[in-house]
Amino acid sequence: MNYQDELYNLAREIDTAVATVAQTARGAEQAPLQWRLPGELGSVTVSGAGDLSEVTLDVAELRQYSADALARTLLQGIRDAERRADQRRRDTVAAAVTETGLA
């Protein structure tokens, strides 16, 4: 195999690896993450990109919270879910980069 063929094959391998990582990143951004709120209050769901998509609350549990405490708890839960989704996405992409040999 001559030098040009080797370069062409290497470029194809790199293109394939980059496409695999890009596809993995898209999948990780779309994968929902459900985060449980403290106690039995409920949960929040965010996309892998950290976009809030759902909040589920147990009405009976709401009565145990003041308005301020509920607001703080919900906000903290959403922030925690966003951080965890972002970390999961970064870890997934990093693993794909390593697996494809791009690292």
Side-chain angles (χ1 to χ4, degrees), residues 29-101:
E29 287 175 357
Q30 295 172 356
L33 179 130
Q34 187 177 53
W35 187 262
R36 298 292 307 163
L37 296 169
E40 298 295 321
L41 181 59
S43 65
V44 296
T45 303
V46 296
S47 71
D51 299 322
L52 180 64
S53 60
E54 184 177 357
V55 176
T56 304
L57 299 173
D58 182 334
V59 176
E61 290 292 317
L62 290 176
R63 294 183 182 106
Q64 298 181 30
Y65 290 83
S66 68
D68 287 342
L70 179 61
R72 282 191 305 274
T73 300
L74 286 173
L75 184 57
Q76 187 61 51
I78 292 167
R79 287 180 177 155
D80 290 345
E82 289 171 342
R83 276 193 286 277
R84 179 63 188 116
D86 181 59
Q87 186 63 53
R88 183 183 69 175
R89 181 187 49 79
R90 285 188 282 138
D91 291 348
T92 300
V93 171
V97 167
T98 301
E99 286 175 20
T100 59

